[in-house]
Each structure stands twice: as structure tokens, then as C-alpha cells.
Amino acid sequence: PLYEQCVTLVAKNVHRWRFAEFDKSFPDFIKEIDNPPCLLEALSIRDSEIPADCKLFQGWSSKLQELRLTCVTLPPDFAALVGLTVLRLRNVTQAHADGGNLPMAIEMVRRALEACPNLVDLFLGGRFTISEGRATTKPVVLDELQKLCLYAEQDQNGALLSLIDAENCSNFKIRFRARLDEKPQEWNWSTYLQILRRAGALRIHVPGSYPYICIESMEGPCRVDIFYSDERHGSYEAQQAVYSVMEAILVEVEKDSALTNPIELSFGHVVVPRPGCRIPDPAWLRLLKFLQEPIVDPSSGKNRWRLPHLNSISLLDERWLKGYLKQFVTAREVAFEGQTVDRITEILLGYPTKDRTDIFSEVMDYDGEIP
């Protein structure tokens, strides 16, 4: 009785609501609401089903700016995803006329994006229904979007990326689960990467064996996080998948011209390949090899270096890296006609938050073997 009295009391004051957060108690409140809220600005629902006649969404509040749905089932033709600035959808399903539920259709996600052109924060997670033979259409322009998180299951991140044109986005996170054979080089990265070209100095961080890589601005709010989360695969395999995504990003961002940003490479506690092992190089070594091989500039037809203004490297552990780093620095000292390239002048050892030691001379004087 006390619980029911509390529900009734709160529901009767729906006209005063500005912020609301529901869990499994959502159906109890909905039965008591007689009129839609008129002041509601932010709404969060989890572990519930939204009925088709839900008064909470009838006469939809024009003040609503933020909607977060987690493990929620929507009614058919749900039309309340309109005019939002924050939209976060995780594990959302749709009810169908036959009584079954399916993951939210990607076409419904598109309609929501079209109805929310001023989105600032967008999170899409879980599984989505992608129709066979889905027609390719232009992405939805979201000029105000600042933060984008994609935590899709299976191989659906590419389909979600294709929905969005958000060249001003400054905070981008993408996570993989279940599959390691996705082909990120085929995805539409270009609209998310214009901010990297305008971001000033950049740091590319490979933190060792953990399946995570970050590209971030050292001067302002610009960040791209790529990570893999799935207990069915070892961290080494997962890091290979993460590296493939980062390489696809670097290829895409320099597709037409080289980055002009100053660049720092940052490595954590690295894993060193064992002699005779028939496995791919770890991510940090793949990155070094990728950057020490010149490419052909598409406009001039001449050789050039990727990331020509790479001028600094930072490490947590130099024990096995000196030979590889000397090889890398030496390779990039070759000059190509028509390209100005910064020389790497410092190799810093230690944590960024503490005083670091420049070991550039030690690296260049190294005469030992490369493991």
C-alpha cells in the first residue's frame, strides 16, 4: 500500500516533472498518469516496455531535450524521438504486430536522427536489425554533434557509421564485440575525421597489450577511442582488430593530403614478438612499420611520408624498443622532393604526469640486435 500511495502521489504531479528516471517500476507509474508532462526536459527508462498508448509520450513535450533508453521495448511506429539534443539507445527492441520483438531497426535509427538535427550527444549500443539489400542513402547531417559512442554488437558499427555526417564531432568512441574480421577500411570515416585535421597537436597512444588505442588532441577537446571487449578472444587477437581500425582511420584522414598536425607517438608497456612465432606483430610494432614505409601521393604521384610532422615519441619501457626505434627514426630521415618533414628529435621515457627522461641519444647509439 505504501508503494502504491507513493506512485500515485508522484504520478499526480507529472505536470511538475522536469527530470524523470524509471526502471522496472515504469509500468506502475504509467497506469497512474492522466496527462502528459509539459515541463519534462530529461527522461531515462530502463528494463521496461513502453505501451503504445503511453500518456507520457502523448502530446509530446517540446521541452524534452534528453532521452536515454536501456533494455527497453518500443511500440510499433514509436514517434517520440524528435527534437532531442541527447539520445542514448542501448539494447532497444521494437514490438511487432505478430507479438514478437526484434532489435531496433536501423531505419528507425535513421528517422530518429533526421528528427533530431541538433543532437549534441549520441550513443548507439547493442544489436540492431539491418534489412537485407538495404538501399544506400546519404548520411544524416548532424552539424552540432560533439560526442558519438558506437557500442554495436557483431559487425554493425560500419552500418551505423554510414548513417551519420558529423564532421564537427570532437569525441568519438567505438567498441567491438563478437567478431574480429570486420573490414574498417571499407567504412565511412571521412566525416568524423575532419576534426582531427583541425585539432592541433595530436597524440597516438598504444597502451601495450590491452585492446585499446586512442588518438587525442594535446591542445583541446578532440579524442577518438577504439577498443575491443569480448571475453571469447584473447587480448592479443583483440588488439590486432583494434589496430586495423586505427590504421583505417590514419589512411582515411590522409587520403587526399598529409596531416599538418604535430604528432607524438605514445607507447605503454609493450609486448615483444618472440623469435620464430608465426603470429602478427603486436600493434605498436605494426604502427612503426606502417609509418616507416613511404606511400605515393595521389595528387603528385611522388613518394611521401605519412604523418610528416611526427616529431616525438614517448615510452613507459625502453628495454626492448631501442633497436626498433633506431630503425624507425633512421628510415624516416630520408627526404622526398616537395615534402617538408619534421625530424624526430626526442624520445621521452616515463609517465606523462611525471618528469620524463629524453633517451634519444641512447636510442641512436644503440648497436645491439633487434629481437
Side-chain angles (χ1 to χ4, degrees):
L2 180 59
Y3 170 77
E4 294 174 356
Q5 291 174 11
C6 289
V7 168
T8 301
L9 179 62
V10 173
K12 294 300 181 184
N13 285 277
V14 67
H15 59 285
R16 297 181 177 179
W17 292 3
R18 292 183 60 196
F19 311 97
E21 183 173 343
F22 296 102
D23 51 19
K24 293 179 181 179
S25 63
F26 180 68
D28 299 330
F29 282 90
I30 292 307
K31 289 185 292 187
E32 298 293 330
I33 293 177
D34 296 323
N35 299 298
C38 56
L39 299 178
L40 192 62
E41 298 175 14
L43 175 62
S44 175
I45 304 172
R46 64 168 55 240
D47 302 320
S48 297
E49 181 173 350
I50 299 175
D53 61 348
C54 179
K55 290 186 174 61
L56 191 61
F57 298 103
Q58 294 176 1
W60 190 243
S61 169
S62 61
K63 291 184 177 294
L64 192 75
Q65 294 294 300
E66 303 179 15
L67 181 61
R68 296 170 173 83
L69 303 178
T70 304
C71 299
V72 168
T73 299
L74 304 178
D77 301 320
F78 184 68
L81 305 178
V82 177
L84 303 169
T85 57
V86 176
L87 177 60
R88 301 180 70 84
L89 305 174
R90 184 194 288 266
N91 297 325
V92 176
T93 57
Q94 286 177 269
H96 288 260
D98 61 5
N101 296 336
L102 288 175
M104 187 176 184
I106 201 165
E107 289 78 11
M108 187 174 184
V109 176
R110 168 182 284 280
R111 290 197 298 271
L113 299 182
E114 291 173 339
C116 301
N118 295 317
L119 275 175
V120 174
D121 184 336
L122 175 62
F123 178 102
L124 300 173
R127 293 186 63 189
F128 297 85
T129 299
I130 301 177
S131 303
E132 292 277 342
R134 184 173 64 95
T136 302
T137 55
K138 289 185 178 181
V140 180
V141 176
L142 299 173
D143 285 335
E144 303 300 320
L145 193 67
Q146 295 295 312
K147 183 177 181 181
L148 173 63
C149 297
L150 300 180
Y151 288 7
E153 301 286 345
Q154 298 183 354
D155 57 346
Q156 298 182 335
N157 282 312
L160 294 175
L161 278 171
S162 70
L163 294 178
I164 305 163
D165 181 338
E167 65 179 30
N168 294 317
C169 182
S170 59
N171 191 316
F172 176 40
K173 296 183 180 181
I174 185 166
R175 184 187 69 178
F176 303 91
R177 291 181 63 87
R179 292 184 60 172
L180 293 173
D181 58 346
E182 299 186 72
K183 297 179 179 179
Q185 65 273 16
E186 298 177 1
W187 296 354
N188 172 32
W189 291 107
S190 59
T191 55
Y192 308 97
L193 301 178
Q194 296 306 312
I195 189 67
L196 291 182
R197 302 189 69 89
R198 303 192 297 265
L202 290 171
R203 177 184 293 115
I204 300 174
H205 180 53
V206 182
S209 60
Y210 187 73
Y212 164 81
I213 290 174
C214 170
I215 305 173
E216 63 180 344
S217 170
M218 293 187 285
E219 299 177 357
C222 170
R223 189 178 180 98
V224 177
D225 294 286
I226 312 153
F227 59 104
Y228 187 94
S229 174
D230 197 324
E231 63 280 359
R232 286 172 289 183
H233 299 286
S235 62
Y236 191 88
E237 291 177 290
Q239 195 188 58
Q240 296 294 320
V242 168
Y243 173 80
S244 296
V245 176
M246 185 197 67
E247 185 175 297
I249 288 176
L250 294 179
V251 169
E252 182 66 31
V253 78
E254 290 198 303
K255 181 173 64 176
D256 299 319
S257 61
L259 275 178
T260 58
N261 314 54
I263 303 288
E264 175 186 294
L265 297 186
S266 171
F267 299 113
H269 295 290
V270 301
V271 174
V272 178
R274 290 172 291 180
C277 284
R278 294 179 176 271
I279 58 175
D281 291 330
W284 65 268
L285 184 53
R286 288 181 67 184
L287 179 59
L288 287 181
K289 290 182 176 181
F290 174 72
L291 294 177
Q292 74 183 44
E293 289 294 330
I295 61 172
V296 177
D297 186 271
S299 58
S300 67
K302 299 177 181 179
N303 282 352
R304 67 170 171 86
W305 292 112
R306 298 186 190 276
L307 308 184
H309 299 292
L310 168 59
N311 55 26
S312 177
I313 299 174
S314 65
L315 327 163
L316 291 183
D317 182 1
E318 92 285 9
R319 189 172 33 163
W320 303 109
L321 282 172
K322 288 182 178 178
Y324 292 109
L325 291 176
K326 180 178 180 180
Q327 187 179 71
F328 177 73
V329 172
T330 303
R332 285 181 63 98
E333 288 179 344
V334 175
F336 293 117
E337 181 183 354
Q339 184 184 33
T340 302
V341 179
D342 291 352
R343 297 190 63 177
I344 298 172
T345 56
E346 61 179 13
I347 299 177
L348 304 176
L349 177 65
Y351 287 92
T353 55
K354 300 180 180 179
D355 291 336
R356 295 185 290 181
T357 303
D358 191 342
I359 61 169
F360 182 83
S361 297
E362 293 179 37
V363 168
M364 301 311 293
D365 291 340
Y366 179 78
D367 59 2
E369 295 184 358
I370 297 178

